[in-house]
Amino acid sequence: MTDAAHGGQEVAMLERLNHEVKEFRFTDRDFQYLRQLVNRETGIVITAAKREMVYSRLSRRLRALNLTDFEDYCRILEEDEQGELNAFINAITTNLTSFFREPHHFDHLQNTVVPDLLNKNAATRRIRIWSAGCSTGEEPYSIAMAMAEVIPDDWDCRILATDIDTDVLMKAERGIYPLERVASLPQSRLKRWFSRGSGSNQGLTRVAPELREMITFRRLNLMEAWPVNGPIDVLFCRNVVIYFDKETQRRIFDKFAERMEDNSRLFIGHSESLFKITNRFELIGQTIYRKRS
Ligand SMILES: C[S@@+](CC[C@H](N)C(=O)[O-])C[C@H]1O[C@@H](n2cnc3c(N)ncnc32)[C@H](O)[C@@H]1O
């Protein structure tokens, strides 16, 4: 075989390999454009190390649109053809969640927050809770269970559950989950708050209508205006701002503070902290804060 023929074979092989490894062409320029767009639209900061994650999360969008490279996808986003921006945001967000995640938050809610509120709000008998960044609903349903188990029937307890991602909100509103999602819950809770599907719904479980009625699901981007009527008695914003820069976190927590009652509680994610972010809240427990007066 001549050198030229050999070289040609090598190039062909490399191209084939590249194609096998990567289904879509994805350049540095595409990645920079997408990172900036995500940050502008959602506040999420995507580090250089997340390049593969961006590629894999967006690949299904390129497949759905029958595209062969990211350059065309970026162009579609730039022109926001067919409302692709929404699908893009839905694909890029991280939605990991579970029922009673960080169980000590729900113990604190039942054992400390509720007794305080039953006293403080006795005149109105109203409690308002916000789950900001509620993902597929496990968090607000856990809050609803915890509240319904301890507040008197004639109290008006409502939970606002918001997220930027319209796909997760649809799942949350449906309130139907695979049985594995509730496997770690105690029998007493499963019995009281879930009904197992049968026939074509085998393997699924549905949350009780009483819980669904306590919750209003709504799309809300924390980076935009918040049409939320305060005052909020309890706020959960867990594992959401972890993806934002410090300045954005400060703006968001200060804005939360403006809508919260004095002494009300804020629950944040297990690896988050308000240290050097804002002093509008005082740390009173593990990732549990009290809004200062
Ligand atoms: C990792 S999940 C956390 C879910 C739940 N709070 C928990 O801790 O289990 C983060 C959620 O924040 C949402 N999110 C990200 N950026 C947002 C923004 N700018 N506005 C509102 N929600 C956002 C995502 O869509 C995602 O569902």
Side-chain angles (χ1 to χ4, degrees):
M1 195 186 291
T2 64
D3 277 358
H6 196 240
Q9 260 186 358
E10 236 173 40
V11 170
M13 200 180 78
L14 278 175
E15 271 174 3
R16 212 173 45 244
L17 207 70
N18 197 22
H19 188 73
E20 270 164 22
V21 176
K22 286 263 174 279
E23 188 179 353
F24 306 105
R25 203 157 63 86
F26 187 35
T27 64
D28 287 347
R29 198 156 152 236
D30 303 330
F31 182 48
Q32 289 316 327
Y33 173 80
L34 294 170
R35 282 171 82 178
Q36 278 164 17
L37 185 63
V38 173
N39 187 248
R40 195 171 69 229
E41 294 294 326
T42 71
I44 296 169
V45 176
I46 294 192
T47 60
K50 296 271 172 70
R51 190 181 164 123
E52 279 313 305
M53 186 205 81
V54 169
Y55 179 92
S56 73
R57 288 191 182 174
L58 294 178
S59 288
R60 61 187 162 96
R61 292 306 313 149
L62 271 78
R63 244 169 257 134
L65 296 167
N66 264 323
L67 302 177
T68 54
D69 61 45
F70 274 79
E71 195 178 335
D72 287 344
Y73 187 62
C74 294
R75 193 180 38 74
I76 287 177
L77 282 171
E78 201 156 319
E79 292 160 10
D80 192 17
E81 280 174 22
Q82 307 125 21
E84 182 55 30
L85 196 57
N86 194 46
F88 166 70
I89 291 172
N90 291 355
I92 213 78
T93 52
T94 298
N95 308 118
L96 188 78
T97 188
S98 58
F99 283 103
F100 293 94
R101 183 179 195 182
E102 290 151 62
H104 68 279
H105 284 170
F106 300 93
D107 295 341
H108 184 85
L109 187 65
Q110 286 192 320
N111 302 330
T112 308
V113 178
V114 168
D116 279 359
L117 287 175
L118 291 184
N119 207 4
K120 190 171 136 268
N121 294 5
T124 60
R125 294 179 167 250
R126 266 170 54 138
I127 299 177
R128 293 294 178 260
I129 303 177
W130 184 7
S131 160
C134 65
S135 189
T136 38
E138 288 86 337
E139 179 176 282
Y141 287 123
S142 303
I143 300 170
M145 278 181 254
M147 294 303 289
E149 285 165 4
V150 292
I151 56 164
D153 285 345
D154 59 345
W155 274 59
D156 166 28
C157 175
R158 295 214 51 84
I159 301 156
L160 172 67
T162 62
D163 203 284
I164 194 174
D165 181 335
T166 50
D167 287 342
V168 292
L169 283 171
M170 253 161 55
K171 289 186 186 159
E173 269 197 287
R174 233 182 292 135
I176 297 174
Y177 298 91
L179 280 172
E180 310 87 83
R181 305 285 301 161
V182 297
S184 63
L185 299 195
Q187 274 304 318
S188 54
R189 275 201 171 127
L190 286 178
K191 249 186 155 159
R192 181 161 177 198
W193 300 121
F194 292 87
S195 48
R196 258 175 113 115
S198 57
S200 61
N201 291 323
Q202 190 87 36
L204 299 174
T205 186
R206 180 198 279 269
V207 297
E210 303 98 277
L211 299 182
R212 295 216 303 277
E213 280 157 18
M214 290 171 71
I215 307 173
T216 305
F217 289 101
R218 205 188 298 155
R219 182 181 190 269
L220 186 145
N221 181 350
L222 289 168
M223 300 297 285
E224 294 171 357
W226 301 353
V228 174
N229 295 330
I232 303 291
D233 297 301
V234 183
L235 205 150
F236 282 73
C237 185
R238 308 186 307 165
N239 310 298
V240 180
V241 303
I242 189 170
Y243 306 106
F244 300 172
D245 62 45
K246 295 263 181 279
E247 178 51 30
T248 309
Q249 292 187 10
R250 189 191 57 72
R251 252 190 303 122
I252 287 175
F253 284 117
D254 284 350
K255 231 167 127 183
F256 281 148
E258 282 158 25
R259 282 164 176 76
M260 292 173 71
E261 285 280 9
D262 288 346
N263 293 321
S264 58
R265 295 294 189 275
L266 167 70
F267 296 94
I268 64 171
H270 57 98
S271 56
E272 298 168 328
S273 162
L274 299 190
F275 181 62
K276 289 194 176 162
I277 302 271
T278 176
N279 55 13
R280 304 284 301 266
F281 298 90
E282 176 196 358
L283 184 67
I284 56 159
Q286 193 189 342
T287 54
I288 305 174
Y289 288 81
R290 185 185 69 83
K291 198 215 139 197
R292 290 185 209 272
S293 317

